[in-house]
Amino acid sequence: MLIGATATGERSSDVGATPYTSTSPLVYIHANGVNAALHGRFLRTPPGHWTILGLIALGVALGLLYSRLSLLRAGLVALGVLLGIAAIDYGLFVFADVDLPALGALLVPPITWAAVGNAWARETERLGRERAKELGVARSIQEHLLPSAPPKIEGLDVSGRNIPADSIGGDYFDWILLEDGSLAVVVGDVSGHGIPAALLMAHIRASLHAVAQAGRSPEEMVESVNRSLARAALPGKFATFFLGVISVGEQRLRYCNAGHNSPLLLRDGKVIELGATGLPLAVIENMPYTGAEETFVVGDTLVIYSDGIPEAPQRAQPKQFYGDERLQECALALSAAHPNAAEIVERMLADVRAVAGDLMHVDDVTLVVVRRT
């Protein structure tokens, strides 16, 4: 029996059966190798296709399991599986002379990742469809909360548009015909946009319709809406709000501006800004509001808008905005050239879109125009 090695300073130790290979850089003939030959103990390798199928099944099972676990628990399961594979590999090698390919375990992570990604993609797609359906229903409800057609009042031409940044938004406009024949015109802007803002917008509408009555001043109605919203809104949420009451027979416009962008009263080529008469809604529950009054005669145009218009970023220079100055110039030019309120609304929005492009939709946009005819 020849026992030796082709190089000095090297030693080899074996546990269990010894494999023979023609690619070994050193030639060893071990006593335990001879013993293995005498007893017929040689390493056996399972068929490759069974190994691959087993790894795939393991990966799929782990992927489905991970998709139902938190990240921490999934990590603990992955660690346990890897330790389990190592223990099984060692046990089969020592006690059953079975050689599992050690690199086969490396297939588990990509297979698991593919299974998890597929499961998550299906779940994300399902949730996306459900959310889209819910948002569609919410958008439909919100559209019904906004006025569908302008009021028909002798001496007034009214038009308005709302373009939400998301599927639903927090801007609100309305016109309410009061019992004495006057018209209440409203534009509100809830902070933020999306579903939370839309819920507060619906609350504002309900509160306003409950208190909008002839004989009540604009400031009284705004105070009631403010108290209601302050009790419903979370801390930090607020809404700017403009309420104007137009009396055609008396040729006057009474209004209350709760921190909203100053509406524009256009008359004879000049602009009268209807500034704030109080803080935004829901800032102080018992906030006292004051009102103001302007004449509203034939030829006058009232333009009420949300901050989504002057604060629309310019697409060529996103750090600059559409701006109040351009808004006033556009409103003056259009009111002089187009006596139709609906056309003024559409052309003003077209001008904003020409300047901002797709950036027009970073915030909700609302515009209401009332002309005295």
Side-chain angles (χ1 to χ4, degrees):
M1 179 185 296
L2 175 64
I3 302 176
T6 62
T8 60
E10 300 287 339
R11 72 182 177 83
S12 175
S13 60
D14 295 301
V15 178
T18 301
Y20 291 90
T21 172
S22 61
T23 60
S24 176
L26 301 175
V27 179
Y28 295 101
I29 301 177
H30 302 286
N32 63 335
V34 175
N35 182 64
L38 294 175
H39 291 84
R41 294 190 66 217
F42 296 99
L43 286 176
R44 291 171 292 129
T45 302
H49 64 278
W50 286 114
T51 302
I52 294 175
L53 289 176
L55 290 171
I56 292 175
L58 178 62
V60 171
L62 289 176
L64 294 175
L65 178 61
Y66 291 167
S67 65
R68 291 167 171 79
L69 298 177
S70 66
L71 183 59
L72 175 61
R73 292 184 177 180
L76 293 176
V77 169
L79 178 61
V81 169
L82 291 176
L83 292 176
I85 291 176
I88 293 172
D89 192 6
Y90 181 80
L92 290 175
F93 179 78
V94 173
F95 300 107
D97 302 332
V98 175
D99 181 29
L100 288 177
L103 293 180
L106 296 179
L107 292 175
V108 174
I111 294 173
T112 300
W113 177 259
V116 171
N118 184 50
W120 282 352
R122 292 199 311 271
E123 182 67 11
T124 300
E125 183 180 355
R126 183 185 67 81
L127 293 176
R129 290 195 301 267
E130 290 182 357
R131 178 175 172 81
K133 183 178 179 180
E134 292 172 354
L135 287 176
V137 174
R139 178 58 184 166
S140 177
I141 293 173
Q142 188 175 55
E143 288 176 348
H144 282 83
L145 294 178
L146 299 175
S148 57
K152 296 181 180 179
I153 300 179
E154 180 94 19
L156 291 180
D157 180 20
V158 186
S159 183
R161 278 283 304 279
N162 167 252
I163 305 175
D166 297 324
S167 297
I168 55 177
D171 276 9
Y172 167 56
F173 78 93
D174 209 344
W175 38 68
I176 305 172
L177 184 60
L178 303 180
E179 295 88 342
D180 61 358
S182 58
L183 180 69
V185 184
V186 181
V187 172
D189 183 1
V190 178
S191 58
H193 45 82
I195 294 177
L199 292 174
L200 291 182
M201 169 270 200
H203 184 92
I204 291 174
R205 180 190 183 278
S207 300
L208 176 64
H209 277 252
V211 300
Q213 300 172 359
R216 302 191 70 177
S217 66
E219 55 268 31
E220 289 175 336
M221 289 186 274
V222 171
E223 286 178 0
S224 296
V225 175
N226 174 64
R227 284 192 297 269
S228 177
L229 186 65
R231 294 166 186 167
L234 294 174
K237 299 296 291 184
F238 63 90
T240 63
F241 191 77
F242 176 86
L243 170 62
V245 178
I246 301 172
S247 176
V248 176
E250 297 176 349
Q251 299 190 102
R252 66 171 180 163
L253 164 65
R254 295 174 296 147
Y255 67 90
C256 180
N257 186 344
H260 196 74
N261 297 80
S262 299
L264 309 178
L265 179 58
L266 310 177
R267 177 182 298 153
D268 299 329
K270 298 180 180 180
V271 177
I272 302 173
E273 297 188 23
L274 309 183
T277 60
L279 295 176
L281 304 180
V283 174
I284 301 175
E285 181 176 341
N286 294 313
M287 172 72 189
Y289 287 88
T290 59
E293 185 174 324
E294 290 284 347
T295 57
F296 196 59
V297 298
V298 174
D300 286 355
T301 301
L302 176 64
V303 178
I304 318 170
Y305 56 93
S306 65
D307 60 5
I309 293 180
E311 295 179 7
Q314 298 182 16
R315 59 180 171 184
Q317 297 175 301
K319 293 186 178 180
Q320 298 186 19
F321 304 100
Y322 183 81
D324 293 305
E325 183 176 351
R326 176 157 184 157
L327 172 61
Q328 293 188 12
E329 292 175 354
C330 180
L332 276 173
L334 291 174
S335 65
H338 303 282
N340 183 274
E343 191 165 354
I344 294 175
V345 168
E346 295 305 321
R347 289 181 177 269
M348 285 187 68
L349 293 177
D351 189 62
V352 177
R353 191 174 291 107
V355 172
D358 291 338
L359 296 179
M360 177 181 178
H361 301 290
V362 298
D363 196 6
D364 302 325
V365 170
T366 298
L367 178 64
V368 173
V369 172
V370 183
R371 284 188 63 90
R372 179 71 171 85
T373 59

PDB file of all heavy atoms in Angstrom, residues 57-86 88 105 108-109 112 116:
ATOM      1  N   ALA A  57     -38.946  24.381  -5.958  1.00  0.00           N
ATOM      2  CA  ALA A  57     -40.082  24.206  -5.048  1.00  0.00           C
ATOM      3  C   ALA A  57     -39.837  24.940  -3.740  1.00  0.00           C
ATOM      4  O   ALA A  57     -40.747  25.591  -3.188  1.00  0.00           O
ATOM      5  CB  ALA A  57     -40.303  22.719  -4.786  1.00  0.00           C
ATOM      6  N   LEU A  58     -38.605  24.861  -3.251  1.00  0.00           N
ATOM      7  CA  LEU A  58     -38.272  25.568  -2.013  1.00  0.00           C
ATOM      8  C   LEU A  58     -38.392  27.069  -2.188  1.00  0.00           C
ATOM      9  O   LEU A  58     -38.938  27.775  -1.337  1.00  0.00           O
ATOM     10  CB  LEU A  58     -36.854  25.200  -1.577  1.00  0.00           C
ATOM     11  CG  LEU A  58     -36.321  25.900  -0.324  1.00  0.00           C
ATOM     12  CD1 LEU A  58     -37.184  25.553   0.883  1.00  0.00           C
ATOM     13  CD2 LEU A  58     -34.868  25.528  -0.068  1.00  0.00           C
ATOM     14  N   GLY A  59     -37.889  27.573  -3.319  1.00  0.00           N
ATOM     15  CA  GLY A  59     -37.961  29.015  -3.561  1.00  0.00           C
ATOM     16  C   GLY A  59     -39.384  29.517  -3.665  1.00  0.00           C
ATOM     17  O   GLY A  59     -39.738  30.561  -3.112  1.00  0.00           O
ATOM     18  N   VAL A  60     -40.224  28.770  -4.396  1.00  0.00           N
ATOM     19  CA  VAL A  60     -41.629  29.176  -4.546  1.00  0.00           C
ATOM     20  C   VAL A  60     -42.333  29.155  -3.191  1.00  0.00           C
ATOM     21  O   VAL A  60     -43.088  30.083  -2.848  1.00  0.00           O
ATOM     22  CB  VAL A  60     -42.346  28.260  -5.551  1.00  0.00           C
ATOM     23  CG1 VAL A  60     -43.847  28.537  -5.549  1.00  0.00           C
ATOM     24  CG2 VAL A  60     -41.775  28.455  -6.945  1.00  0.00           C
ATOM     25  N   ALA A  61     -42.098  28.084  -2.419  1.00  0.00           N
ATOM     26  CA  ALA A  61     -42.734  28.002  -1.104  1.00  0.00           C
ATOM     27  C   ALA A  61     -42.297  29.160  -0.214  1.00  0.00           C
ATOM     28  O   ALA A  61     -43.115  29.777   0.475  1.00  0.00           O
ATOM     29  CB  ALA A  61     -42.389  26.657  -0.448  1.00  0.00           C
ATOM     30  N   LEU A  62     -40.987  29.448  -0.246  1.00  0.00           N
ATOM     31  CA  LEU A  62     -40.499  30.565   0.567  1.00  0.00           C
ATOM     32  C   LEU A  62     -41.080  31.887   0.076  1.00  0.00           C
ATOM     33  O   LEU A  62     -41.433  32.760   0.877  1.00  0.00           O
ATOM     34  CB  LEU A  62     -38.967  30.619   0.522  1.00  0.00           C
ATOM     35  CG  LEU A  62     -38.226  29.510   1.271  1.00  0.00           C
ATOM     36  CD1 LEU A  62     -36.741  29.639   1.044  1.00  0.00           C
ATOM     37  CD2 LEU A  62     -38.550  29.559   2.755  1.00  0.00           C
ATOM     38  N   GLY A  63     -41.167  32.065  -1.249  1.00  0.00           N
ATOM     39  CA  GLY A  63     -41.722  33.305  -1.778  1.00  0.00           C
ATOM     40  C   GLY A  63     -43.152  33.533  -1.339  1.00  0.00           C
ATOM     41  O   GLY A  63     -43.532  34.634  -0.926  1.00  0.00           O
ATOM     42  N   LEU A  64     -43.963  32.494  -1.425  1.00  0.00           N
ATOM     43  CA  LEU A  64     -45.359  32.611  -0.992  1.00  0.00           C
ATOM     44  C   LEU A  64     -45.444  32.878   0.504  1.00  0.00           C
ATOM     45  O   LEU A  64     -46.308  33.627   0.974  1.00  0.00           O
ATOM     46  CB  LEU A  64     -46.124  31.340  -1.359  1.00  0.00           C
ATOM     47  CG  LEU A  64     -46.284  31.072  -2.862  1.00  0.00           C
ATOM     48  CD1 LEU A  64     -46.956  29.734  -3.088  1.00  0.00           C
ATOM     49  CD2 LEU A  64     -47.073  32.187  -3.520  1.00  0.00           C
ATOM     50  N   LEU A  65     -44.532  32.241   1.257  1.00  0.00           N
ATOM     51  CA  LEU A  65     -44.530  32.471   2.706  1.00  0.00           C
ATOM     52  C   LEU A  65     -44.088  33.887   3.032  1.00  0.00           C
ATOM     53  O   LEU A  65     -44.698  34.574   3.856  1.00  0.00           O
ATOM     54  CB  LEU A  65     -43.590  31.458   3.383  1.00  0.00           C
ATOM     55  CG  LEU A  65     -43.425  31.591   4.902  1.00  0.00           C
ATOM     56  CD1 LEU A  65     -44.773  31.397   5.609  1.00  0.00           C
ATOM     57  CD2 LEU A  65     -42.410  30.596   5.422  1.00  0.00           C
ATOM     58  N   TYR A  66     -43.034  34.367   2.356  1.00  0.00           N
ATOM     59  CA  TYR A  66     -42.537  35.716   2.620  1.00  0.00           C
ATOM     60  C   TYR A  66     -43.585  36.783   2.326  1.00  0.00           C
ATOM     61  O   TYR A  66     -43.660  37.811   3.004  1.00  0.00           O
ATOM     62  CB  TYR A  66     -41.296  36.008   1.766  1.00  0.00           C
ATOM     63  CG  TYR A  66     -40.064  35.218   2.143  1.00  0.00           C
ATOM     64  CD1 TYR A  66     -38.959  35.188   1.304  1.00  0.00           C
ATOM     65  CD2 TYR A  66     -40.000  34.482   3.326  1.00  0.00           C
ATOM     66  CE1 TYR A  66     -37.820  34.458   1.626  1.00  0.00           C
ATOM     67  CE2 TYR A  66     -38.881  33.755   3.648  1.00  0.00           C
ATOM     68  CZ  TYR A  66     -37.795  33.743   2.811  1.00  0.00           C
ATOM     69  OH  TYR A  66     -36.688  33.039   3.131  1.00  0.00           O
ATOM     70  N   SER A  67     -44.388  36.548   1.282  1.00  0.00           N
ATOM     71  CA  SER A  67     -45.377  37.556   0.889  1.00  0.00           C
ATOM     72  C   SER A  67     -46.436  37.760   1.963  1.00  0.00           C
ATOM     73  O   SER A  67     -47.182  38.738   1.912  1.00  0.00           O
ATOM     74  CB  SER A  67     -46.043  37.154  -0.428  1.00  0.00           C
ATOM     75  OG  SER A  67     -46.786  35.956  -0.266  1.00  0.00           O
ATOM     76  N   ARG A  68     -46.488  36.850   2.931  1.00  0.00           N
ATOM     77  CA  ARG A  68     -47.477  36.967   4.001  1.00  0.00           C
ATOM     78  C   ARG A  68     -46.839  37.367   5.328  1.00  0.00           C
ATOM     79  O   ARG A  68     -47.534  37.448   6.344  1.00  0.00           O
ATOM     80  CB  ARG A  68     -48.219  35.630   4.173  1.00  0.00           C
ATOM     81  CG  ARG A  68     -49.120  35.289   3.003  1.00  0.00           C
ATOM     82  CD  ARG A  68     -49.589  33.843   3.056  1.00  0.00           C
ATOM     83  NE  ARG A  68     -50.605  33.570   2.053  1.00  0.00           N
ATOM     84  CZ  ARG A  68     -50.346  33.364   0.778  1.00  0.00           C
ATOM     85  NH1 ARG A  68     -49.099  33.411   0.342  1.00  0.00           N
ATOM     86  NH2 ARG A  68     -51.331  33.117  -0.078  1.00  0.00           N
ATOM     87  N   LEU A  69     -45.520  37.604   5.324  1.00  0.00           N
ATOM     88  CA  LEU A  69     -44.814  37.930   6.558  1.00  0.00           C
ATOM     89  C   LEU A  69     -44.262  39.338   6.490  1.00  0.00           C
ATOM     90  O   LEU A  69     -44.092  39.923   5.419  1.00  0.00           O
ATOM     91  CB  LEU A  69     -43.643  36.948   6.780  1.00  0.00           C
ATOM     92  CG  LEU A  69     -43.997  35.464   6.961  1.00  0.00           C
ATOM     93  CD1 LEU A  69     -42.730  34.646   7.085  1.00  0.00           C
ATOM     94  CD2 LEU A  69     -44.884  35.259   8.182  1.00  0.00           C
ATOM     95  N   SER A  70     -43.965  39.891   7.670  1.00  0.00           N
ATOM     96  CA  SER A  70     -43.274  41.167   7.724  1.00  0.00           C
ATOM     97  C   SER A  70     -41.834  40.976   7.282  1.00  0.00           C
ATOM     98  O   SER A  70     -41.328  39.850   7.190  1.00  0.00           O
ATOM     99  CB  SER A  70     -43.320  41.727   9.151  1.00  0.00           C
ATOM    100  OG  SER A  70     -42.575  40.895  10.032  1.00  0.00           O
ATOM    101  N   LEU A  71     -41.147  42.090   7.022  1.00  0.00           N
ATOM    102  CA  LEU A  71     -39.764  42.004   6.560  1.00  0.00           C
ATOM    103  C   LEU A  71     -38.875  41.320   7.590  1.00  0.00           C
ATOM    104  O   LEU A  71     -38.030  40.486   7.247  1.00  0.00           O
ATOM    105  CB  LEU A  71     -39.241  43.417   6.264  1.00  0.00           C
ATOM    106  CG  LEU A  71     -37.820  43.509   5.708  1.00  0.00           C
ATOM    107  CD1 LEU A  71     -37.704  42.744   4.405  1.00  0.00           C
ATOM    108  CD2 LEU A  71     -37.403  44.967   5.518  1.00  0.00           C
ATOM    109  N   LEU A  72     -39.052  41.633   8.879  1.00  0.00           N
ATOM    110  CA  LEU A  72     -38.225  41.038   9.924  1.00  0.00           C
ATOM    111  C   LEU A  72     -38.450  39.531  10.001  1.00  0.00           C
ATOM    112  O   LEU A  72     -37.488  38.741  10.040  1.00  0.00           O
ATOM    113  CB  LEU A  72     -38.527  41.698  11.273  1.00  0.00           C
ATOM    114  CG  LEU A  72     -37.807  41.098  12.494  1.00  0.00           C
ATOM    115  CD1 LEU A  72     -36.299  41.227  12.314  1.00  0.00           C
ATOM    116  CD2 LEU A  72     -38.269  41.803  13.777  1.00  0.00           C
ATOM    117  N   ARG A  73     -39.700  39.117  10.007  1.00  0.00           N
ATOM    118  CA  ARG A  73     -39.996  37.687  10.100  1.00  0.00           C
ATOM    119  C   ARG A  73     -39.529  36.939   8.859  1.00  0.00           C
ATOM    120  O   ARG A  73     -39.033  35.808   8.947  1.00  0.00           O
ATOM    121  CB  ARG A  73     -41.487  37.479  10.321  1.00  0.00           C
ATOM    122  CG  ARG A  73     -41.968  37.958  11.701  1.00  0.00           C
ATOM    123  CD  ARG A  73     -43.431  37.652  11.906  1.00  0.00           C
ATOM    124  NE  ARG A  73     -43.863  38.035  13.246  1.00  0.00           N
ATOM    125  CZ  ARG A  73     -45.095  37.891  13.705  1.00  0.00           C
ATOM    126  NH1 ARG A  73     -46.033  37.363  12.915  1.00  0.00           N
ATOM    127  NH2 ARG A  73     -45.409  38.272  14.928  1.00  0.00           N
ATOM    128  N   ALA A  74     -39.665  37.556   7.697  1.00  0.00           N
ATOM    129  CA  ALA A  74     -39.188  36.924   6.472  1.00  0.00           C
ATOM    130  C   ALA A  74     -37.676  36.739   6.527  1.00  0.00           C
ATOM    131  O   ALA A  74     -37.140  35.704   6.100  1.00  0.00           O
ATOM    132  CB  ALA A  74     -39.576  37.761   5.257  1.00  0.00           C
ATOM    133  N   GLY A  75     -36.945  37.731   7.069  1.00  0.00           N
ATOM    134  CA  GLY A  75     -35.501  37.607   7.208  1.00  0.00           C
ATOM    135  C   GLY A  75     -35.110  36.484   8.152  1.00  0.00           C
ATOM    136  O   GLY A  75     -34.159  35.731   7.893  1.00  0.00           O
ATOM    137  N   LEU A  76     -35.855  36.350   9.256  1.00  0.00           N
ATOM    138  CA  LEU A  76     -35.568  35.267  10.204  1.00  0.00           C
ATOM    139  C   LEU A  76     -35.838  33.902   9.577  1.00  0.00           C
ATOM    140  O   LEU A  76     -35.074  32.945   9.778  1.00  0.00           O
ATOM    141  CB  LEU A  76     -36.416  35.449  11.465  1.00  0.00           C
ATOM    142  CG  LEU A  76     -36.076  36.672  12.331  1.00  0.00           C
ATOM    143  CD1 LEU A  76     -37.059  36.795  13.495  1.00  0.00           C
ATOM    144  CD2 LEU A  76     -34.651  36.586  12.862  1.00  0.00           C
ATOM    145  N   VAL A  77     -36.914  33.802   8.797  1.00  0.00           N
ATOM    146  CA  VAL A  77     -37.215  32.541   8.117  1.00  0.00           C
ATOM    147  C   VAL A  77     -36.112  32.213   7.108  1.00  0.00           C
ATOM    148  O   VAL A  77     -35.653  31.067   7.001  1.00  0.00           O
ATOM    149  CB  VAL A  77     -38.589  32.618   7.418  1.00  0.00           C
ATOM    150  CG1 VAL A  77     -38.785  31.420   6.494  1.00  0.00           C
ATOM    151  CG2 VAL A  77     -39.693  32.666   8.458  1.00  0.00           C
ATOM    152  N   ALA A  78     -35.649  33.219   6.353  1.00  0.00           N
ATOM    153  CA  ALA A  78     -34.583  32.992   5.376  1.00  0.00           C
ATOM    154  C   ALA A  78     -33.314  32.502   6.062  1.00  0.00           C
ATOM    155  O   ALA A  78     -32.646  31.572   5.596  1.00  0.00           O
ATOM    156  CB  ALA A  78     -34.307  34.271   4.597  1.00  0.00           C
ATOM    157  N   LEU A  79     -32.947  33.117   7.194  1.00  0.00           N
ATOM    158  CA  LEU A  79     -31.770  32.682   7.940  1.00  0.00           C
ATOM    159  C   LEU A  79     -31.938  31.249   8.434  1.00  0.00           C
ATOM    160  O   LEU A  79     -31.009  30.426   8.336  1.00  0.00           O
ATOM    161  CB  LEU A  79     -31.525  33.630   9.124  1.00  0.00           C
ATOM    162  CG  LEU A  79     -30.338  33.283  10.037  1.00  0.00           C
ATOM    163  CD1 LEU A  79     -29.040  33.307   9.232  1.00  0.00           C
ATOM    164  CD2 LEU A  79     -30.278  34.258  11.212  1.00  0.00           C
ATOM    165  N   GLY A  80     -33.111  30.928   8.958  1.00  0.00           N
ATOM    166  CA  GLY A  80     -33.371  29.571   9.428  1.00  0.00           C
ATOM    167  C   GLY A  80     -33.283  28.549   8.313  1.00  0.00           C
ATOM    168  O   GLY A  80     -32.743  27.448   8.490  1.00  0.00           O
ATOM    169  N   VAL A  81     -33.784  28.908   7.117  1.00  0.00           N
ATOM    170  CA  VAL A  81     -33.739  27.995   5.981  1.00  0.00           C
ATOM    171  C   VAL A  81     -32.298  27.735   5.556  1.00  0.00           C
ATOM    172  O   VAL A  81     -31.896  26.592   5.281  1.00  0.00           O
ATOM    173  CB  VAL A  81     -34.568  28.550   4.813  1.00  0.00           C
ATOM    174  CG1 VAL A  81     -34.311  27.745   3.538  1.00  0.00           C
ATOM    175  CG2 VAL A  81     -36.045  28.512   5.158  1.00  0.00           C
ATOM    176  N   LEU A  82     -31.499  28.787   5.499  1.00  0.00           N
ATOM    177  CA  LEU A  82     -30.097  28.619   5.112  1.00  0.00           C
ATOM    178  C   LEU A  82     -29.346  27.747   6.116  1.00  0.00           C
ATOM    179  O   LEU A  82     -28.558  26.864   5.738  1.00  0.00           O
ATOM    180  CB  LEU A  82     -29.421  29.982   4.975  1.00  0.00           C
ATOM    181  CG  LEU A  82     -29.890  30.835   3.791  1.00  0.00           C
ATOM    182  CD1 LEU A  82     -29.211  32.190   3.818  1.00  0.00           C
ATOM    183  CD2 LEU A  82     -29.608  30.127   2.481  1.00  0.00           C
ATOM    184  N   LEU A  83     -29.568  27.968   7.420  1.00  0.00           N
ATOM    185  CA  LEU A  83     -28.940  27.125   8.439  1.00  0.00           C
ATOM    186  C   LEU A  83     -29.429  25.686   8.325  1.00  0.00           C
ATOM    187  O   LEU A  83     -28.651  24.728   8.490  1.00  0.00           O
ATOM    188  CB  LEU A  83     -29.233  27.688   9.830  1.00  0.00           C
ATOM    189  CG  LEU A  83     -28.575  29.040  10.165  1.00  0.00           C
ATOM    190  CD1 LEU A  83     -29.035  29.515  11.536  1.00  0.00           C
ATOM    191  CD2 LEU A  83     -27.059  28.933  10.118  1.00  0.00           C
ATOM    192  N   GLY A  84     -30.717  25.518   8.038  1.00  0.00           N
ATOM    193  CA  GLY A  84     -31.268  24.176   7.875  1.00  0.00           C
ATOM    194  C   GLY A  84     -30.659  23.453   6.693  1.00  0.00           C
ATOM    195  O   GLY A  84     -30.324  22.261   6.767  1.00  0.00           O
ATOM    196  N   ILE A  85     -30.482  24.168   5.564  1.00  0.00           N
ATOM    197  CA  ILE A  85     -29.867  23.555   4.386  1.00  0.00           C
ATOM    198  C   ILE A  85     -28.428  23.134   4.697  1.00  0.00           C
ATOM    199  O   ILE A  85     -27.978  22.051   4.312  1.00  0.00           O
ATOM    200  CB  ILE A  85     -29.902  24.535   3.197  1.00  0.00           C
ATOM    201  CG1 ILE A  85     -31.348  24.718   2.715  1.00  0.00           C
ATOM    202  CG2 ILE A  85     -29.019  24.051   2.059  1.00  0.00           C
ATOM    203  CD1 ILE A  85     -31.492  25.743   1.621  1.00  0.00           C
ATOM    204  N   ALA A  86     -27.695  23.996   5.420  1.00  0.00           N
ATOM    205  CA  ALA A  86     -26.311  23.662   5.778  1.00  0.00           C
ATOM    206  C   ALA A  86     -26.263  22.416   6.662  1.00  0.00           C
ATOM    207  O   ALA A  86     -25.414  21.524   6.475  1.00  0.00           O
ATOM    208  CB  ALA A  86     -25.660  24.856   6.477  1.00  0.00           C
ATOM    209  N   ILE A  88     -28.528  19.960   6.893  1.00  0.00           N
ATOM    210  CA  ILE A  88     -28.922  18.787   6.109  1.00  0.00           C
ATOM    211  C   ILE A  88     -27.782  18.351   5.193  1.00  0.00           C
ATOM    212  O   ILE A  88     -27.475  17.142   5.059  1.00  0.00           O
ATOM    213  CB  ILE A  88     -30.193  19.094   5.297  1.00  0.00           C
ATOM    214  CG1 ILE A  88     -31.384  19.283   6.245  1.00  0.00           C
ATOM    215  CG2 ILE A  88     -30.479  17.988   4.291  1.00  0.00           C
ATOM    216  CD1 ILE A  88     -32.634  19.782   5.557  1.00  0.00           C
ATOM    217  N   ALA A 105     -27.327  25.979  -3.035  1.00  0.00           N
ATOM    218  CA  ALA A 105     -28.051  26.861  -2.113  1.00  0.00           C
ATOM    219  C   ALA A 105     -28.064  28.300  -2.591  1.00  0.00           C
ATOM    220  O   ALA A 105     -28.934  29.089  -2.202  1.00  0.00           O
ATOM    221  CB  ALA A 105     -27.428  26.780  -0.725  1.00  0.00           C
ATOM    222  N   VAL A 108     -31.233  29.604  -4.135  1.00  0.00           N
ATOM    223  CA  VAL A 108     -32.414  29.903  -3.334  1.00  0.00           C
ATOM    224  C   VAL A 108     -32.735  31.395  -3.313  1.00  0.00           C
ATOM    225  O   VAL A 108     -33.898  31.786  -3.516  1.00  0.00           O
ATOM    226  CB  VAL A 108     -32.256  29.345  -1.905  1.00  0.00           C
ATOM    227  CG1 VAL A 108     -33.423  29.785  -1.021  1.00  0.00           C
ATOM    228  CG2 VAL A 108     -32.164  27.829  -1.951  1.00  0.00           C
ATOM    229  N   PRO A 109     -31.762  32.296  -3.081  1.00  0.00           N
ATOM    230  CA  PRO A 109     -32.114  33.737  -3.044  1.00  0.00           C
ATOM    231  C   PRO A 109     -32.754  34.251  -4.330  1.00  0.00           C
ATOM    232  O   PRO A 109     -33.810  34.892  -4.260  1.00  0.00           O
ATOM    233  CB  PRO A 109     -30.765  34.405  -2.748  1.00  0.00           C
ATOM    234  CG  PRO A 109     -29.984  33.368  -2.017  1.00  0.00           C
ATOM    235  CD  PRO A 109     -30.363  32.074  -2.640  1.00  0.00           C
ATOM    236  N   THR A 112     -36.183  32.724  -4.709  1.00  0.00           N
ATOM    237  CA  THR A 112     -37.078  33.316  -3.708  1.00  0.00           C
ATOM    238  C   THR A 112     -37.443  34.747  -4.089  1.00  0.00           C
ATOM    239  O   THR A 112     -38.598  35.164  -3.981  1.00  0.00           O
ATOM    240  CB  THR A 112     -36.401  33.300  -2.334  1.00  0.00           C
ATOM    241  OG1 THR A 112     -36.104  31.959  -1.980  1.00  0.00           O
ATOM    242  CG2 THR A 112     -37.304  33.914  -1.284  1.00  0.00           C
ATOM    243  N   VAL A 116     -41.134  36.087  -4.578  1.00  0.00           N
ATOM    244  CA  VAL A 116     -41.648  37.191  -3.769  1.00  0.00           C
ATOM    245  C   VAL A 116     -42.065  38.358  -4.659  1.00  0.00           C
ATOM    246  O   VAL A 116     -43.140  38.960  -4.487  1.00  0.00           O
ATOM    247  CB  VAL A 116     -40.586  37.651  -2.749  1.00  0.00           C
ATOM    248  CG1 VAL A 116     -41.029  38.926  -2.052  1.00  0.00           C
ATOM    249  CG2 VAL A 116     -40.343  36.558  -1.719  1.00  0.00           C
TER     250      VAL A 116
END
